Short mmCIF file of all heavy atoms in Angstrom, two decimals:
data_model
loop_
_atom_site.label_atom_id
_atom_site.label_comp_id
_atom_site.label_asym_id
_atom_site.label_seq_id
_atom_site.Cartn_x
_atom_site.Cartn_y
_atom_site.Cartn_z
N SER A 1038 -35.83 23.74 68.03
CA SER A 1038 -36.30 24.89 68.82
C SER A 1038 -37.75 25.24 68.56
O SER A 1038 -38.32 26.10 69.23
CB SER A 1038 -35.42 26.11 68.50
OG SER A 1038 -35.65 26.56 67.16
N LEU A 1039 -38.38 24.57 67.59
CA LEU A 1039 -39.74 24.93 67.18
C LEU A 1039 -40.83 24.06 67.79
O LEU A 1039 -42.01 24.25 67.49
CB LEU A 1039 -39.85 24.88 65.65
CG LEU A 1039 -38.91 25.84 64.90
CD1 LEU A 1039 -39.08 25.68 63.40
CD2 LEU A 1039 -39.15 27.28 65.32
N ASP A 1040 -40.46 23.08 68.60
CA ASP A 1040 -41.43 22.24 69.30
C ASP A 1040 -42.41 21.57 68.34
O ASP A 1040 -43.64 21.65 68.50
CB ASP A 1040 -42.19 23.07 70.35
CG ASP A 1040 -42.92 22.18 71.36
OD1 ASP A 1040 -42.45 21.04 71.58
OD2 ASP A 1040 -43.95 22.62 71.91
N LEU A 1041 -41.87 20.89 67.35
CA LEU A 1041 -42.69 20.19 66.35
C LEU A 1041 -43.10 18.82 66.87
O LEU A 1041 -42.39 18.21 67.67
CB LEU A 1041 -41.89 20.01 65.06
CG LEU A 1041 -41.62 21.27 64.24
CD1 LEU A 1041 -40.46 21.02 63.28
CD2 LEU A 1041 -42.86 21.68 63.47
N PRO A 1042 -44.24 18.29 66.41
CA PRO A 1042 -44.61 16.91 66.75
C PRO A 1042 -43.53 15.96 66.22
O PRO A 1042 -42.95 16.21 65.17
CB PRO A 1042 -45.94 16.70 66.01
CG PRO A 1042 -46.47 18.08 65.78
CD PRO A 1042 -45.28 18.97 65.60
N PRO A 1043 -43.27 14.85 66.95
CA PRO A 1043 -42.17 13.94 66.57
C PRO A 1043 -42.22 13.46 65.12
O PRO A 1043 -41.20 13.46 64.43
CB PRO A 1043 -42.35 12.77 67.55
CG PRO A 1043 -42.99 13.38 68.74
CD PRO A 1043 -43.90 14.44 68.20
N LYS A 1044 -43.40 13.07 64.63
CA LYS A 1044 -43.48 12.55 63.27
C LYS A 1044 -43.13 13.61 62.23
O LYS A 1044 -42.47 13.33 61.23
CB LYS A 1044 -44.88 11.99 63.00
CG LYS A 1044 -45.17 10.68 63.74
CD LYS A 1044 -46.51 10.10 63.34
CE LYS A 1044 -46.76 8.77 64.04
NZ LYS A 1044 -48.08 8.19 63.67
N LYS A 1045 -43.57 14.84 62.48
CA LYS A 1045 -43.27 15.92 61.54
C LYS A 1045 -41.81 16.34 61.65
O LYS A 1045 -41.19 16.73 60.66
CB LYS A 1045 -44.21 17.10 61.79
CG LYS A 1045 -45.67 16.77 61.44
CD LYS A 1045 -46.59 17.94 61.66
CE LYS A 1045 -48.03 17.56 61.24
NZ LYS A 1045 -48.98 18.66 61.44
N LEU A 1046 -41.25 16.25 62.85
CA LEU A 1046 -39.84 16.55 63.04
C LEU A 1046 -38.97 15.55 62.27
O LEU A 1046 -37.96 15.92 61.66
CB LEU A 1046 -39.49 16.52 64.53
CG LEU A 1046 -38.03 16.80 64.90
CD1 LEU A 1046 -37.61 18.19 64.41
CD2 LEU A 1046 -37.82 16.68 66.40
N VAL A 1047 -39.40 14.29 62.27
CA VAL A 1047 -38.66 13.26 61.53
C VAL A 1047 -38.70 13.57 60.03
O VAL A 1047 -37.67 13.46 59.34
CB VAL A 1047 -39.25 11.86 61.81
CG1 VAL A 1047 -38.71 10.84 60.81
CG2 VAL A 1047 -38.93 11.42 63.23
N ARG A 1048 -39.86 13.97 59.53
CA ARG A 1048 -39.96 14.32 58.11
C ARG A 1048 -38.98 15.43 57.74
O ARG A 1048 -38.29 15.36 56.72
CB ARG A 1048 -41.38 14.78 57.78
CG ARG A 1048 -42.39 13.67 57.61
CD ARG A 1048 -43.61 14.23 56.90
NE ARG A 1048 -44.73 13.31 56.98
CZ ARG A 1048 -45.85 13.43 56.31
NH1 ARG A 1048 -45.98 14.47 55.47
NH2 ARG A 1048 -46.83 12.57 56.43
N MET A 1049 -38.96 16.44 58.59
CA MET A 1049 -38.08 17.58 58.30
C MET A 1049 -36.61 17.19 58.44
O MET A 1049 -35.76 17.67 57.68
CB MET A 1049 -38.42 18.75 59.22
CG MET A 1049 -39.79 19.34 58.96
SD MET A 1049 -40.00 20.97 59.69
CE MET A 1049 -41.65 21.39 59.12
N ALA A 1050 -36.31 16.32 59.38
CA ALA A 1050 -34.93 15.86 59.54
C ALA A 1050 -34.48 15.05 58.31
O ALA A 1050 -33.34 15.16 57.87
CB ALA A 1050 -34.81 15.01 60.81
N VAL A 1051 -35.40 14.24 57.77
CA VAL A 1051 -35.10 13.48 56.55
C VAL A 1051 -34.76 14.43 55.40
O VAL A 1051 -33.80 14.24 54.65
CB VAL A 1051 -36.29 12.57 56.16
CG1 VAL A 1051 -36.11 12.00 54.76
CG2 VAL A 1051 -36.45 11.44 57.17
N LEU A 1052 -35.55 15.50 55.28
CA LEU A 1052 -35.30 16.48 54.22
C LEU A 1052 -33.97 17.20 54.45
O LEU A 1052 -33.23 17.47 53.49
CB LEU A 1052 -36.44 17.51 54.16
CG LEU A 1052 -36.28 18.58 53.08
CD1 LEU A 1052 -36.26 17.97 51.69
CD2 LEU A 1052 -37.39 19.64 53.18
N VAL A 1053 -33.65 17.50 55.70
CA VAL A 1053 -32.38 18.16 56.01
C VAL A 1053 -31.21 17.30 55.56
O VAL A 1053 -30.26 17.79 54.92
CB VAL A 1053 -32.27 18.46 57.52
CG1 VAL A 1053 -30.83 18.79 57.91
CG2 VAL A 1053 -33.19 19.62 57.90
N VAL A 1054 -31.25 16.00 55.86
CA VAL A 1054 -30.16 15.10 55.48
C VAL A 1054 -29.97 15.09 53.96
O VAL A 1054 -28.86 15.25 53.45
CB VAL A 1054 -30.43 13.67 55.99
CG1 VAL A 1054 -29.39 12.69 55.43
CG2 VAL A 1054 -30.40 13.64 57.52
N PHE A 1055 -31.08 14.94 53.23
CA PHE A 1055 -30.99 14.91 51.76
C PHE A 1055 -30.55 16.26 51.21
O PHE A 1055 -29.73 16.32 50.28
CB PHE A 1055 -32.35 14.52 51.18
CG PHE A 1055 -32.32 14.27 49.69
CD1 PHE A 1055 -31.93 13.04 49.18
CD2 PHE A 1055 -32.67 15.27 48.79
CE1 PHE A 1055 -31.89 12.81 47.81
CE2 PHE A 1055 -32.63 15.06 47.42
CZ PHE A 1055 -32.25 13.82 46.93
N SER A 1056 -31.05 17.35 51.78
CA SER A 1056 -30.72 18.69 51.29
C SER A 1056 -29.25 19.03 51.55
O SER A 1056 -28.58 19.62 50.70
CB SER A 1056 -31.61 19.74 51.96
OG SER A 1056 -32.98 19.49 51.69
N VAL A 1057 -28.77 18.67 52.74
CA VAL A 1057 -27.36 18.93 53.07
C VAL A 1057 -26.44 18.19 52.11
O VAL A 1057 -25.47 18.75 51.59
CB VAL A 1057 -27.07 18.53 54.53
CG1 VAL A 1057 -25.57 18.42 54.78
CG2 VAL A 1057 -27.70 19.54 55.48
N ASN A 1058 -26.72 16.91 51.87
CA ASN A 1058 -25.89 16.14 50.95
C ASN A 1058 -26.00 16.64 49.52
O ASN A 1058 -25.02 16.61 48.76
CB ASN A 1058 -26.27 14.66 51.03
CG ASN A 1058 -25.84 14.03 52.33
OD1 ASN A 1058 -24.83 14.40 52.92
ND2 ASN A 1058 -26.62 13.05 52.81
N SER A 1059 -27.19 17.10 49.13
CA SER A 1059 -27.39 17.61 47.76
C SER A 1059 -26.71 18.96 47.56
O SER A 1059 -26.13 19.23 46.51
CB SER A 1059 -28.88 17.72 47.45
OG SER A 1059 -29.52 16.47 47.51
N GLY A 1060 -26.81 19.81 48.57
CA GLY A 1060 -26.25 21.17 48.44
C GLY A 1060 -24.75 21.19 48.30
O GLY A 1060 -24.19 22.11 47.69
N GLY A 1061 -24.09 20.19 48.87
CA GLY A 1061 -22.64 20.21 48.86
C GLY A 1061 -22.00 19.75 47.57
O GLY A 1061 -20.81 20.00 47.36
N VAL A 1062 -22.76 19.11 46.68
CA VAL A 1062 -22.11 18.46 45.52
C VAL A 1062 -21.63 19.44 44.46
O VAL A 1062 -20.75 19.10 43.66
CB VAL A 1062 -23.05 17.42 44.86
CG1 VAL A 1062 -23.38 16.31 45.83
CG2 VAL A 1062 -24.30 18.08 44.31
N SER A 1063 -22.17 20.64 44.41
CA SER A 1063 -21.85 21.55 43.32
C SER A 1063 -20.70 22.51 43.62
O SER A 1063 -20.26 23.26 42.73
CB SER A 1063 -23.09 22.35 42.91
OG SER A 1063 -23.58 23.08 44.01
N LEU A 1064 -20.21 22.53 44.86
CA LEU A 1064 -19.09 23.40 45.22
C LEU A 1064 -18.06 22.61 46.01
O LEU A 1064 -18.41 21.78 46.85
CB LEU A 1064 -19.57 24.60 46.06
CG LEU A 1064 -20.32 25.72 45.34
CD1 LEU A 1064 -20.78 26.77 46.34
CD2 LEU A 1064 -19.43 26.38 44.29
N ILE A 1065 -16.79 22.91 45.77
CA ILE A 1065 -15.74 22.18 46.47
C ILE A 1065 -15.70 22.53 47.95
O ILE A 1065 -15.11 21.80 48.75
CB ILE A 1065 -14.36 22.45 45.84
CG1 ILE A 1065 -14.03 23.95 45.86
CG2 ILE A 1065 -14.31 21.92 44.41
CD1 ILE A 1065 -12.64 24.28 45.37
#
């Protein structure tokens, strides 16, 4: 929804994937 340039959007998407997987490991 923020109209980011494609390359920067990819960077943020990469961080989202890693953050989502990391955030879930400490709680059932």
Side-chain angles (χ1 to χ4, degrees):
S1038 69
L1039 299 179
D1040 196 27
L1041 290 161
K1044 289 185 177 179
K1045 293 181 178 180
L1046 180 60
V1047 167
R1048 281 196 194 190
M1049 293 196 177
V1051 169
L1052 180 62
V1053 164
V1054 172
F1055 188 83
S1056 300
V1057 164
N1058 289 328
S1059 299
V1062 297
S1063 58
L1064 286 177
I1065 59 175

